Amino acid sequence: MENQSPKLSLFTLLVTSMLIHGCGSIQPQGQSSTMGPGWELLNKRIIEAENVSMRERDVPRTGIQTNVGEGQVSNLSDILPIQLAPGVEAKAYWGEGNLLSFISMAPNAVMPRETIIGERFLFVMEGQVKELANGEYMTMVGEKREPPNGVSARMPRREFIYLVDGDESHITAGPQGAEILLLYAPVPRAYLEQAGLGHQYEEVDLQALPLPPNVDSGVVYDLYDFQYTVLVPGANARFVNGRGMQMSWLRMNPNIEFGYHTHPEQQLMIAQRGWLDQYILAHTVRVNEGDILNFPYQMTHGALLGTYGTDALDVFFPPRTDYYAAMERTISAYHEIIPEDTKVQLVVDGSVSGPGLNFTEGPAWHNGKLYFSNLWFDPAFNGDASRGAVVEMDPNGSYRYISTGMQTNGIIPAANGNLIVADMFGHRVIEMTTAGEVVATLADSYDESYIDGPNDLVMDTRGGIYFSDPQFTPSANKNQPGRTVYYRNPQGEVIRLLPYDDFAMPNGIILSPDGRTLYINNTYDKESWWNVTSDKENYVWAYDVNQDGTISNGRAFAELKLTGDVLNREARTSGADGMAIDTEGNLYVASYAGVQIFNAEGNFKGIVNLPTVPVNVTFGGADNKTLYITAYDKIYRIKTNKTGYQLY
């Protein structure tokens, strides 16, 4: 998107007024007819007056008349449903090249068999279906995100499949029914005939279009495994491409503005969350969830996002070459870090294997084993230290408790072979042997009062220990005036590094490989149920490390992607928790959205998607290139191309 100003000049406003009143008026919201013959001239005047940059390309024109108007806002609820089969109801809209069909399927309902002409995508928006592909039925699901609590946090899934010319499709809903989305290229003849449009259109040769699909036919994918491509700051899209359609599953940040722009491809859009004010030529229309639009070739438009931001699906015909190139750059950057075709592996499921895991945290690779904390919480995050444990795990996934009766959190190796452990509910940082014996208390007070709840920690080359204290402890009465970060210097003195409550919830903490930069992330912010807000919001912050171990020059380093449920309550909670870093300075941050990866300059590189919300990360394995991830009662791992940085 070209980011030009949407504010019209006086000249343009005068021309607009003449055109609107003299050449046909813009239709009201909800109207599905076209704008009329005047919009092309108005569009040309706006482009010239506002110096809107344009891309030109040859695109196929089919002559198919859209059923939702050009440049008009209507709602999916305005479209009359079509009964495709008993218990199967569809609402479809189309442009010249693509058709979108939103289908509700009753429990166990069956779609008629279909032979694909051209290409078709099936996305399971919610529920479960079985689809015929390559001669066998494949189960596909769509699940919403589960709000994290003290015992579980399921990540969302939106599985889909791509079928091509000649493939057979036969869809059956699961026992709870399903909501699905079918997308076609070209527009199926049967839909047009039912709409009374007959055969008065040009056929499209999909094979003549220049861009290949970015998925294989007959394979089930999860949309959340696809990487965000940053289109402009604040707008991130997951792209799925066929030959004749390009889906941009778009998330736009609150309160950002997209100036007037055009593109030679036709765009079908549906708003899926939040709202925005859409600029369409000289008209501004509020677009809400469920609203649909059709932007014809080169129609000038822009948008001002609302306070919740907006999720939207844009479908382009034909696929945009500029977006495809941006997507390829994104994928290449991600695979520089995560090898292509590498999948997250489940190492341990502590809900079924003994002695049992509940809420895993603070992983550290040490002497060929993974050590981590096993906290105990109830759904409301009420903890019980008597049920917590420190755990030792072998590479094959077998594990054992080495210590019980403590609600510990972060763990790091020490030079002498022991472990440095944040005993969160014990209000102290301790040294522990790998057999679980506590041999020393390293820090337990500041300014003659106990510290509250050491959470995460990292050691520098001099033996100094940085640790965060978000006061995430059960007592309502805290020992310290607020949340902060401390440094225990090599002489054993505990120094407070930040003003109290400078962060709403300081949590993950790590040093750069050269020891010159300290990174701190912020878990919660701007929540009605949290008693502190801050200017740190959904960022990892970077600080220069001074000669004496203190820090200065704090600055926002990396903006963490937020989830839709957080945006819906106008919060800035990333869920950022534990972090890892590799020898090149790439940063890995466990968050509600997955393990978010940033390079040494703070640029976003991708997200590792998991079935469960990740809580903490560390590097390990024989070559120190495997990322181990704690996620509630499970331990995952994934191979990387990078070598993790560890002091000891």
Side-chain angles (χ1 to χ4, degrees), residues 101 103 105 111 114 116 119-125 128-133 138-141 158-163 169-172 178-184 219-221 223 240 245 247 249:
S101 182
I103 299 176
M105 301 186 70
M111 293 264 289
E114 176 186 14
I116 303 302
E119 62 184 4
R120 193 212 68 191
F121 285 87
L122 159 62
F123 286 82
V124 184
M125 308 299 284
Q128 177 181 302
V129 301
K130 288 185 177 180
E131 165 66 307
L132 179 64
M138 300 183 178
T139 299
M140 303 167 57
V141 300
R158 185 168 293 169
E159 293 186 331
F160 70 91
I161 195 168
Y162 173 57
L163 298 181
S169 169
H170 190 217
I171 305 169
T172 303
E179 301 291 325
I180 65 174
L181 169 61
L182 301 181
L183 303 100
Y184 292 87
V219 177
V220 175
Y221 297 90
L223 177 64
V240 179
M245 72 180 93
M247 286 149 279
W249 297 87

